[in-house]
Amino acid sequence: MALTLPSSNAYGYPLLIKQLLIRSRLVSATQEIVSGTDMRLSYAELNERIGRLANTLKVSGIGEGMRVGVMDWDTHRYLECFFAVPMMGAVLHTINVRLSPTQVLYTINHGEPDLIIVHQDFMPLIDEIKSGFDRDITIVPIGNGEGYEDWTGDAPSNFDFPDFDENRTATLFYTTGTTGNPKGVSYSHRQLVLHTLGLIAGFGACPGNGGFHRGDVYMPLTPLFHVHGWGFPYAATMLGLRQVYPGRYTPDTILRLIAAEGVSFSHCVPTILSMVLDHPDCRQTDLSQWKVIIGGAALPRSLQDRAATVGISLHAAYGMSETCPFLTVADLSSDDPEVQAQTGFPGPLVHLRVVTPDMQDVPHDGETTGEVVARAPWLTQGYLGNAQASDALWSGGYLHTGDVGYIRENGSLQITDRLKDVIKTGGEWISSLALEGFASSCIGIEEVAAIGLPHAKWGERPVLVAQLSKDADPDLVRDVVMEEIQSRVGLGELSKWAVPDEIFFVEQLPKTSVGKLDKKVVRQDISSRSDIKA
Amino acid sequence: MALTLPSSNAYGYPLLIKQLLIRSRLVSATQEIVSGTDMRLSYAELNERIGRLANTLKVSGIGEGMRVGVMDWDTHRYLECFFAVPMMGAVLHTINVRLSPTQVLYTINHGEPDLIIVHQDFMPLIDEIKSGFDRDITIVPIGNGEGYEDWTGDAPSNFDFPDFDENRTATLFYTTGTTGNPKGVSYSHRQLVLHTLGLIAGFGACPGNGGFHRGDVYMPLTPLFHVHGWGFPYAATMLGLRQVYPGRYTPDTILRLIAAEGVSFSHCVPTILSMVLDHPDCRQTDLSQWKVIIGGAALPRSLQDRAATVGISLHAAYGMSETCPFLTVADLSSDDPEVQAQTGFPGPLVHLRVVTPDMQDVPHDGETTGEVVARAPWLTQGYLGNAQASDALWSGGYLHTGDVGYIRENGSLQITDRLKDVIKTGGEWISSLALEGFASSCIGIEEVAAIGLPHAKWGERPVLVAQLSKDADPDLVRDVVMEEIQSRVGLGELSKWAVPDEIFFVEQLPKTSVGKLDKKVVRQDISSRSDIKA
């Protein structure tokens, strides 16, 4: 008997973003979504507003395959765009508003949006760059949000979102790499639906009240333009969670929303958490029910300690723009700080390897390092219009993360460095992250970068570039740091080749648009200093 | 810039069953799988044994597209077949050994396996029917399991499981409907992978220690031949849980394994749980950490009460052979018996509707009933070689469950009856399940069926067919039941048309092969009784 004889009536069920909403209409119709301090809507209204936005975009000339850019803070409007734009078969271009004006212009000309929805705070930027647009783009200024209501308010709430190929592109955004122009990364409906399921399966099946579950109140603290807010807005909506969108990130609003709305789950880079912890209101806010996933950079022990004193539960996770982003998460059921800060265990269906340059697996002994490569059903298939970079990204059939790490015997991954930040001295690989970790634990160090400077004999030699704490004495701090590092050499935690040749102090360490240390600029700055002999 | 320009190196990641094992090799290599009371293996060994089985099957002539039948108890061997057979591109036919010999023969001739692995307990059945095989089939007798070890033991453990189209058929089994011949249902790799993710997302993202999570110890109590043990063996393996396979279901072994291995999560039909609760050892076993999902039949309140007294946490779930099976699950965070017994909320991506015969949605008012229809990414696309039944199953583009129910305002589904068991009297629809529920709460009733008998004036009229408790007096019981039902009419919980015309007492109510009440046979038996006037 032949095995494939489906009924012609059978529904094949392509994986489409619209299907993430199905459950919410039935089960979460009255559940609440909070946006800033003055807007509340139910999931029933969310669904209606998505229909209105789609009808409005249609009237504005947007059809299947066209592209819609968004420049807004993290609001319910952005959430509506997450659904309406791809659901109508168009492509959502989440424009990174933190790039330099030149880079924003580059991403707009490269991404080719047909229409851009622009919050008033970003209109000056648009005015600055619009003469450089190389095509006609409809700009929809929405003021402080009221313009969005005027624009969409009268449209019908019913829109017959069509079925189409699940491999159709749904989203587009640009990576904020530290080398060259931003690179365009896109994801299909299928990839985003699978990522949503993977995120829930990976963060959800957790004993106790850890992880991400139906009882949580969710608030993103990673901008929605950055890898779809790490995909959690889709997952939270599918689960029908109570959600809180903080608008522009200001520590007082964030703290107020956590307290008033009972926020229990967020995710962010270390800098944002640091900003919240630094705010004076932090001491008056109960943060003991707040779980925070830290990604985008290593979780510093000092930040962990500060978070612990106010009762925040922190766990590290790992991924990147090219991976949608979920690759790994630390053991969510652990309250051991060492374990919580680990890069963690691969998510469901994630095939993670640590390999030599010729793609051989290194032993899982908790020390042998190599490059981290991966397969998963939600990895970008290449960079937009950049075949060379795409081929390099997927060299050997695995996505190359550009990160260096090792795997422990229990299967947990540890990132030790960026491949390009590893300091290669006399045949040894020195982890810049390890050096930075030891140095930053010293009193007087506000922030520090470890970089390799070219060296005639050794290839490279490590140096530290540090920002002092207020009123700290550079000579004293230099001695403390060197003593700490020598003691780590004594303990066998660092090779003697890792001892930096010098510590430079700077006013301010340069950051990328998403708040990461920009080591490329650090290297340039230091190399150009006249007091350095290369 | 064109949006689809994947690198030729990029891995497209078809959804294949082999990928459910990836994480276990890295993360759960030393985690334990227990099989019966005398076999333990690690996930590392499971992976090796899967390779050995595939190599053994290959030597036995099994290649891509061929079919392998299994007749075994719930063991590690069956789990190995769940993976090895579909992973090598063959089809796993899970033969239902509880059907009558004639029906087993029918399913074997219809399913066309090329090879069948047979435990010694099923060899007499094979010997009885093999003369009726209409093709050559390789029978692999494995004795009490030692034959399996002999057969596979010397094969290499490495097998290069290929990539192929995710829509390739992975499994085949036969429904045990009460009408006509068993019908063949098949699932693809894609459907099973998506079902696995859906199961984890639907049962996992649960606050507290309810649901299904990484801390659980899993033991199936639904036979693995029945809808892949409801799909949980795949989900448990992907999560890397400690697993326990009970072999042949005997209450003392089940109780011993729960106690010795710390089993915390199982699923079964009411009959199996009842059997466990009836066993004398039950009182000496700590069952307070045991979560049980009840499906396959409505969860009777009396069983709930008995389970509660020994501390078992029960929740209802709903699905069928044609739905892989996950459709809904009761609110897993609730400890309210009323809520725990509800058919529940749809799983992720499950599009559930309750409709009129012309496919219009009924209001979600908690009382208006209609047929339950569904879409999900894991529904069978039709019955093997039965176009007519396939088209009926998918009439109007939704899978017809054949169940009648309503949806509450909160989105929770309640099944009230099988469409074919609804008693239609004078234009009213009477739920046979409701009648049975009230009657079974009466002392003296062991089990009861409500059926409609043909009636010249009213179309049908309800009668009850009941099995008495030991030593119960039929006349007394009849009075008690009628009084109970009249009181429900008085309370407005039943229409006056629902009062049965008669209660018949029988020695034993007939059951289907999976232990469900066989109302078709009940109707035939009652209709043929000479004391009935139609």
Side-chain angles (χ1 to χ4, degrees), chain B residues 137-450:
Chain B
I137 302 173
T138 306
I139 299 294
V140 180
I142 57 166
N144 196 18
E146 71 288 345
Y148 180 88
E149 300 303 316
D150 293 342
W151 184 49
T152 59
D154 293 335
S157 61
N158 277 336
F159 190 99
D160 189 13
F161 291 106
D163 275 4
F164 40 71
D165 185 338
E166 66 187 23
N167 294 306
R168 175 175 284 199
T169 302
T171 61
L172 165 67
F173 62 88
Y174 283 78
T175 67
T176 51
T178 50
T179 51
N181 278 320
K183 290 198 281 290
V185 168
S186 66
Y187 290 96
S188 69
H189 282 257
R190 170 186 164 107
Q191 289 174 321
L192 287 167
V193 171
L194 289 171
H195 184 264
T196 304
L197 288 171
L199 214 52
I200 297 172
F203 283 75
C206 182
N209 282 319
F212 186 56
H213 57 69
R214 280 188 201 83
D216 277 318
V217 178
Y218 166 69
M219 179 167 77
L221 286 177
T222 311
L224 297 187
F225 63 73
H226 189 58
V227 210
H228 332 104
W230 296 357
F232 281 99
Y234 285 125
T237 304
M238 185 163 88
L239 284 177
L241 299 194
R242 186 175 160 83
Q243 300 186 58
V244 180
Y245 286 81
R248 184 175 187 161
Y249 294 177
T250 61
D252 57 332
T253 306
I254 289 170
L255 285 163
R256 199 159 5 125
L257 287 169
I258 293 171
E261 308 297 342
V263 172
S264 65
F265 187 94
S266 295
H267 47 78
C268 61
V269 294
T271 314
I272 298 286
L273 182 62
S274 211
M275 182 178 90
V276 171
L277 290 171
D278 284 343
H279 195 272
D281 291 354
C282 182
R283 271 160 284 170
Q284 286 90 55
T285 310
D286 177 9
L287 299 175
S288 65
Q289 301 306 308
W290 197 31
K291 297 173 283 187
V292 180
I293 301 295
I294 295 289
L299 172 52
R301 184 58 189 258
S302 55
L303 184 63
Q304 249 187 320
D305 292 343
R306 289 175 65 207
T309 60
V310 292
I312 300 172
S313 167
L314 283 193
H315 286 88
Y318 169 62
M320 50 201 289
S321 295
E322 289 84 347
T323 63
C324 202
F326 181 32
L327 289 178
T328 76
V329 59
D331 179 356
L332 289 164
S333 57
S334 174
D335 49 14
D336 174 350
E338 295 280 346
V339 174
Q340 290 177 331
Q342 289 175 2
T343 313
F345 297 98
L349 305 183
V350 174
H351 187 184
L352 206 70
R353 298 171 60 196
V354 171
V355 296
T356 61
D358 60 346
M359 295 295 282
Q360 301 301 304
D361 288 87
V362 305
H364 297 175
D365 56 9
E367 58 179 48
T368 310
T369 58
E371 191 186 4
V372 180
V373 299
R375 286 176 170 176
W378 48 74
L379 309 186
T380 196
Q381 301 287 291
Y383 297 111
L384 197 55
N386 189 338
Q388 199 182 348
S390 301
D391 287 347
L393 182 70
W394 276 101
S395 169
Y398 285 80
L399 184 139
H400 288 252
T401 64
D403 286 319
V404 173
Y406 59 80
I407 293 179
R408 298 181 184 83
E409 275 189 44
N410 71 357
S412 156
L413 175 72
Q414 188 59 50
I415 299 295
T416 56
D417 214 343
R418 286 292 293 166
L419 195 52
K420 63 178 166 34
D421 291 336
V422 163
I423 302 160
K424 294 166 188 156
T425 182
E428 290 278 322
W429 279 24
I430 311 290
S431 162
S432 65
L433 285 184
L435 270 181
E436 289 160 8
F438 295 131
S440 68
S441 71
C442 298
I443 289 171
I445 293 285
E446 179 73 26
E447 195 164 9
V448 60

Side-chain angles (χ1 to χ4, degrees), chain A residues 190-338:
Chain A
R190 170 185 164 108
Q191 289 175 321
L192 287 167
V193 171
L194 289 170
H195 184 263
T196 303
L197 287 171
L199 214 51
I200 297 173
F203 284 75
C206 183
N209 282 318
F212 186 57
H213 57 70
R214 280 188 201 81
D216 277 319
V217 178
Y218 166 68
M219 180 167 78
L221 286 177
T222 311
L224 297 188
F225 63 73
H226 190 58
V227 210
H228 331 103
W230 296 356
F232 281 98
Y234 285 124
T237 304
M238 184 163 90
L239 285 177
L241 299 195
R242 187 174 159 81
Q243 300 186 59
V244 181
Y245 285 82
R248 184 176 186 162
Y249 293 178
T250 61
D252 57 332
T253 306
I254 289 169
L255 284 164
R256 201 162 0 128
L257 286 169
I258 293 171
E261 308 296 342
V263 171
S264 66
F265 187 93
S266 296
H267 47 77
C268 61
V269 294
T271 314
I272 298 286
L273 182 62
S274 210
M275 184 178 89
V276 171
L277 290 171
D278 283 343
H279 195 273
D281 290 356
C282 181
R283 271 159 285 168
Q284 286 90 53
T285 310
D286 178 8
L287 299 175
S288 65
Q289 302 306 308
W290 197 31
K291 296 173 283 187
V292 180
I293 301 295
I294 294 290
L299 171 52
R301 185 57 189 260
S302 56
L303 184 64
Q304 248 187 322
D305 292 343
R306 289 174 65 206
T309 60
V310 293
I312 300 172
S313 166
L314 283 193
H315 286 88
Y318 168 63
M320 50 201 288
S321 296
E322 289 83 346
T323 63
C324 201
F326 180 34
L327 288 179
T328 76
V329 59
D331 179 356
L332 288 163
S333 57
S334 173
D335 49 14
D336 174 349
E338 294 281 345

